[in-house]
Amino acid sequence: MRAPRIAILGFAIECNRFAPVSTREDFCTRAMLAGDALIAEARKPAPAMTPEIPAFVRTMDARGPWQAVPILFANAESGGPVEHAFFVELVERFRQELTAALPLDGVYICEHGAAITTEEDDPDGVVFALVRSIVGPDTPVVATIDLHSNVSERMVGAVDALISYRRNPHTDMAERGADAAAALTELLDGVKTTVAHIRLPICPPPTVLLTAPGAGPYADLIAAAEAAAAADSRLLNVSVVGGFAYGDTPKNGLTVLVTTRGDEALARDTAEGLAALAWRQRARFVPRLTPFDEAVRLATAAGADRDRPPVLLADVADNPGGGGRGNTVFLLKALVEAGARDVLLGVLTDPELAAEAHSLNEGATFTARFNRAESATYSEPFEARATILRLKDGKGVGRRGQLAGCAFDLGPSAALVIDGVVLIVITHRHQCHEPAFFELFGLNIGAARSVVLKSRGHFRAAFDEFFAPEQIIEVDAPGLTSPLLSRFAFTKLPRPVVPLDPIEDWTPNARLFHGARS
């Protein structure tokens, strides 16, 4: 048999309506890979891209002869709406190169699923529909998305299978890439799919979407979905997609996707059963944070009394992984003023400060001026005398959790000492969910009395070797990713919606989509 020709492409970014606009530079900083460079990067031992495509390629390689047709993969750290003109350029490039690649036997699309642009609320749907329009109804198309995706009917209707992450922190991205390869192989063999789609009037804040056993309502939903999939071989995939509240789009809402090997009744019944379970648990989708002053007191007490256990303060409201700027100084300033000792803080994005530090020498003391060039909401200035402990280029390979085995580049970076706080200042915005960000500078996380991380929850899969769940404090601080949704002026979010509004009556009603090849 002829080796199948499989195109690979993707536009992957999670967009926060309330954050500054994301630009071409944001993608070039993280990953803009095209053609042979894309497939070469995917096959590296430590690729500088998310794990789905490398896992898809490895799985396809193991299954037998095939021909990869790499188009373009554009990926950026979560941010604000993407410049629409840049997105239009990407779409045109997808159009031209996918058309030139015809004929194709299949397509794999790797997206985040929560993108918006300055003019378009469903760019993921635009990409999916474009692919379908080019390859036609008889070519199988499979896509993977983040569990923080906002899923539109246009997305579901354009592909044969839509596969979401199941773990939060996202430690299963490679597994879902492998699932996509397995699903595509079945489709190439003639399997036809039916997908049941339900979007609920629930918009969960990110901090209630953890999936460790017993972690909350979303963990229970994922467990139920996995049990259903394991119990019936007619189910190709079951995804419960938590969504991304800050996208503020008409397609926001927790979503259930059940893909069967053609069985309509099973797809509908499974989806409606899971949606009903989610609805019964709607009161549990409410975040609980530690007040700011109490968090600072706990960190200060841990530094003063070594008989107390160390603590980890999660600055969940300034999470770059959700569009935060990664530069707010509220906790830094408060900890310094409180006299907190043995604190590690990471990572704080400030390109100008990092550049100034690199213009000096290690050991130099200077006045560190934070946010001198940043004007986004909550990007308040702060000045303090700082000593440069160590300077690095910011490049490394992840050791644990979501970034394990993946190359990262924080840009020119510096470890600064301000009184009892050692903080990492970086150039390229990135959430702090990897111990290597500190270890790159020779810092001992295990010796710290408190660690402050600008991350919402992905750090839990990597810092669990230092902190048990009861030592983790989610801080109620100001920021663009606060889990308290009442603080945001939503304009497009469907209302009424839990947890913002009281809703008593709702009944799940699945919409069925037949795979384009049915």
Side-chain angles (χ1 to χ4, degrees), residues 350-402:
D350 196 321
E352 291 74 26
L353 182 54
E356 182 176 6
H358 274 259
S359 72
L360 304 170
N361 297 317
E362 292 182 355
T365 297
F366 70 115
T367 299
R369 295 187 297 126
F370 295 85
N371 294 328
R372 70 189 81 174
E374 177 69 73
S375 59
T377 306
Y378 306 115
S379 300
E380 296 185 2
F382 174 57
E383 290 188 5
R385 295 294 289 174
T387 300
I388 301 172
L389 180 65
R390 199 157 289 120
L391 301 170
K392 293 290 181 178
D393 64 5
K395 295 180 180 179
V397 176
R399 183 169 70 79
R400 303 190 79 243
Q402 189 180 12

Side-chain angles (χ1 to χ4, degrees), residues 430-480:
H430 210 303
Q431 71 168 303
C432 191
H433 56 352
E434 170 54 59
F437 290 3
F438 291 103
E439 293 162 352
L440 188 66
F441 295 86
L443 298 172
N444 183 357
I445 299 169
R449 300 301 300 152
S450 60
V451 174
V452 183
L453 302 180
K454 288 188 175 292
S455 177
R456 184 268 315 153
H458 289 315
F459 67 86
R460 290 174 181 266
F463 285 80
D464 57 351
E465 64 181 351
F466 303 108
F467 297 94
E470 60 270 19
Q471 295 172 271
I472 297 173
I473 299 167
E474 294 177 334
V475 186
D476 183 7
L480 292 170

Side-chain angles (χ1 to χ4, degrees), residues 208-505:
V208 299
L209 290 176
L210 296 173
T211 59
Y218 191 60
D220 295 346
L221 284 172
I222 291 293
E226 293 186 324
D232 197 320
S233 62
R234 293 172 295 170
L235 291 166
L236 179 69
N237 181 261
V238 181
S239 292
V240 181
V241 188
F244 184 64
Y246 314 110
D248 187 25
T249 72
K251 61 174 182 167
N252 271 96
L254 190 148
T255 298
V256 177
L257 296 168
V258 176
T259 304
T260 68
R261 295 173 172 89
D263 192 312
E264 291 187 7
L266 178 63
R268 179 186 292 109
D269 291 347
T270 304
E272 292 182 354
L274 288 169
L277 173 61
W279 186 245
R280 290 194 297 272
Q281 300 193 64
R282 62 190 180 278
R284 298 175 65 197
F285 288 101
V286 177
R288 291 173 174 80
L289 305 177
T290 298
F292 184 91
D293 291 344
E294 174 66 6
V296 172
R297 186 192 69 77
L298 290 170
T300 304
D305 182 359
R306 291 195 167 271
D307 289 332
R308 299 174 66 100
V311 294
L312 187 156
L313 272 56
D315 192 358
V316 296
D318 188 32
N319 170 33
R325 303 307 292 166
N327 67 344
T328 63
V329 294
F330 302 109
L331 279 171
L332 169 62
K333 182 179 179 182
L335 289 166
V336 170
E337 291 177 348
R341 315 305 299 175
D342 296 322
V343 179
L344 293 182
L345 189 154
V347 286
L348 198 149
T349 306
D350 196 321
E352 291 74 26
L353 182 54
E356 182 176 6
H358 274 259
S359 72
L360 304 170
N361 297 317
E362 292 182 355
T365 297
F366 70 115
T367 299
R369 295 187 297 126
F370 295 85
N371 294 328
R372 70 189 81 174
E374 177 69 73
S375 59
T377 306
Y378 306 115
S379 300
E380 296 185 2
F382 174 57
E383 290 188 5
R385 295 294 289 174
T387 300
I388 301 172
L389 180 65
R390 199 157 289 120
L391 301 170
K392 293 290 181 178
D393 64 5
K395 295 180 180 179
V397 176
R399 183 169 70 79
R400 303 190 79 243
Q402 189 180 12
L403 273 185
C406 295
F408 62 80
D409 182 0
L410 306 176
S413 304
L416 305 181
V417 181
I418 300 177
D419 294 337
V421 179
V422 178
L423 66 148
I424 308 300
V425 178
I426 64 174
T427 297
H428 301 155
R429 191 167 54 91
H430 210 303
Q431 71 168 303
C432 191
H433 56 352
E434 170 54 59
F437 290 3
F438 291 103
E439 293 162 352
L440 188 66
F441 295 86
L443 298 172
N444 183 357
I445 299 169
R449 300 301 300 152
S450 60
V451 174
V452 183
L453 302 180
K454 288 188 175 292
S455 177
R456 184 268 315 153
H458 289 315
F459 67 86
R460 290 174 181 266
F463 285 80
D464 57 351
E465 64 181 351
F466 303 108
F467 297 94
E470 60 270 19
Q471 295 172 271
I472 297 173
I473 299 167
E474 294 177 334
V475 186
D476 183 7
L480 292 170
T481 60
S482 171
L484 302 178
L485 301 186
S486 59
R487 294 178 178 174
F488 296 86
F490 294 106
T491 59
K492 298 187 177 184
L493 191 77
R495 303 292 289 268
V497 66
V498 173
L500 289 172
D501 307 300
I503 310 176
E504 294 302 326
D505 297 321

